[in-house]
Amino acid sequence: MEVWTIANQKGGVGKTSTTVALAGIAAAAGQRVLMVDLDPHGSLSMYFRQEPDYTHKSTYTLFEKRNRLNKELLLSLIRKTPLPTLHLLPAATALATLERQMHACDGLGLVISRALELIKEDFDLVILDCPPVLGVLMINALAACQQLIIPVQTEYLAIKGLERMLHTLKMLGRSRPTPLSYVVVPTMFDRRTSASVQSLRALRNEYGDCVWKGKVVIDTRIRDASKAGVPPNLFSPHSSAVECYQRLYDQLACHEILTDGEHRCAS
Ligand SMILES: Nc1ncnc2c1ncn2[C@@H]1O[C@H](COP(=O)(O)OP(=O)(O)OP(=O)(O)O)[C@@H](O)[C@H]1O
Ligand SMILES: [Mg+2]
């Protein structure tokens, strides 16, 4: 089982869309895929028509029952989606209360990695969708994954936000046994606007090899797919954003995008 985390402390940069797009493509290729919603706002869950307000069986349950979690309980939390090989562990708004509990409880940072260990034979790929905050949920995701994908919208403020994310990564990296490989993925690129073109250029100049050589273009079908509640590759297989995500998936799946402990990468 491989675990990928999609994270960025900046909001609205395409984390959830990237999660669904990559997961949909992997599932269509026959992989047994689990998407895990770690965001108390539950956008990923709502994408698949699961209301986080009413979800008792959720990622929160993993934290709540962390001392008596077993495989059967964990599997009972997982929902089906329109693709038979694509599954979802939905979020609950109660996840927002974890931050307060973090100070009182030890071992909260490894709940997700321990849970995934129980089902490592049941899924080929797990994708963790993070909230846009550095907190216990993102720390769990970073501890549990082998690959980090950082979507960055091609606009000035989002690039500024990346600095913060990479700084966080450096600090957290010190407590990991193995270095975390990461790749920055430019998203919502609009070649018609000079702001987007200039931002992409700045991103590549500043972060060089850490940035994926491709980019995800802006495409209204990403929004339409979320409205329809199906992954973009099912909704509109030949749309331009799906083609971008397919290229990204192919490179990630073949480990063509590799990073080392110095956080350098090449694609
Ligand atoms: N390539 C794209 N083309 C057009 N719209 C997009 C694209 N990618 C994402 N969007 C839209 O941008 C909005 C924000 O995307 P998304 O929810 O994936 O971001 P996020 O980083 O998960 O946000 P949050 O930080 O709130 O969790 C959504 O409405 C989504 O449909
Ligand atoms: Mg999101």
Side-chain angles (χ1 to χ4, degrees):
M1 178 172 88
E2 224 174 289
V3 184
W4 298 350
T5 285
I6 317 285
N8 190 338
Q9 282 161 270
K10 176 96 174 69
V13 294
K15 294 180 291 294
T16 302
S17 306
T18 301
T19 302
V20 181
L22 294 175
I25 288 167
Q31 299 277 297
R32 299 165 301 166
V33 184
L34 174 64
M35 300 171 290
V36 180
D37 192 352
L38 289 173
D39 188 347
H41 288 115
S43 307
L44 176 62
S45 308
M46 285 189 280
Y47 193 113
F48 292 100
R49 311 292 184 255
Q50 304 284 334
E51 274 300 323
D53 287 345
Y54 304 107
T55 305
H56 301 299
K57 291 182 162 190
S58 69
T59 38
Y60 184 71
T61 318
L62 303 182
F63 289 87
E64 199 183 22
K65 306 215 164 134
R66 62 189 175 281
N67 294 327
R68 49 205 153 96
L69 196 66
N70 57 45
K71 182 170 169 169
E72 196 187 0
L73 172 60
L74 177 46
L75 289 175
S76 76
L77 308 176
I78 293 172
R79 315 295 165 85
K80 292 198 168 99
T81 74
L83 265 170
T85 52
L86 181 62
H87 297 84
L88 170 71
L89 182 47
T93 38
L95 283 170
T97 65
L98 283 177
E99 240 36 81
R100 268 184 280 129
Q101 300 172 32
M102 183 75 178
H103 305 290
C105 311
D106 278 344
L108 269 194
L110 293 174
V111 171
I112 298 295
S113 25
R114 287 182 185 143
L116 294 181
E117 189 64 25
L118 297 171
I119 50 167
K120 65 177 180 203
E121 305 301 333
D122 300 83
F123 293 96
D124 302 306
L125 176 65
V126 175
I127 305 187
L128 307 171
D129 182 24
C130 288
V133 236
L134 171 66
V136 61
L137 293 155
M138 198 194 285
I139 287 170
N140 262 273
L142 294 176
C145 71
Q146 294 98 40
Q147 174 73 53
L148 168 64
I149 296 150
I150 310 174
V152 175
Q153 191 175 347
T154 43
E155 54 121 59
Y156 177 72
L157 288 179
I159 295 177
K160 284 278 138 205
L162 178 62
E163 271 169 37
R164 213 153 44 101
M165 182 66 209
L166 294 183
H167 177 69
T168 301
L169 205 56
K170 220 175 205 166
M171 287 189 336
L172 294 178
R174 292 192 195 121
S175 57
R176 267 181 69 101
T178 51
L180 177 58
S181 69
Y182 75 80
V183 60
V184 172
V185 174
T187 59
M188 295 184 236
F189 176 73
D190 186 350
R191 66 183 166 83
R192 295 162 303 183
T193 70
S194 61
S196 203
V197 173
Q198 282 166 14
S199 301
L200 181 62
R201 200 174 300 144
L203 195 61
R204 296 205 191 286
N205 281 343
E206 236 167 282
Y207 298 100
D209 284 346
C210 295
V211 184
W212 179 46
K213 297 286 185 281
K215 54 195 174 288
V216 178
V217 295
I218 198 150
D219 183 343
T220 50
R221 277 156 295 184
I222 291 285
R223 285 203 175 96
D224 297 342
S226 70
K227 234 181 275 160
V230 292
N233 60 314
L234 274 197
F235 183 77
S236 181
H238 304 296
S239 64
S240 37
V242 168
E243 284 172 6
C244 300
Y245 277 119
Q246 180 73 56
R247 272 195 292 279
L248 176 63
Y249 172 77
D250 290 343
Q251 292 184 11
L252 287 167
C254 304
H255 300 277
E256 275 177 27
I257 298 175
L258 296 171
T259 59
D260 63 20
E262 297 300 307
H263 299 301
R264 281 181 284 127
C265 60
S267 67

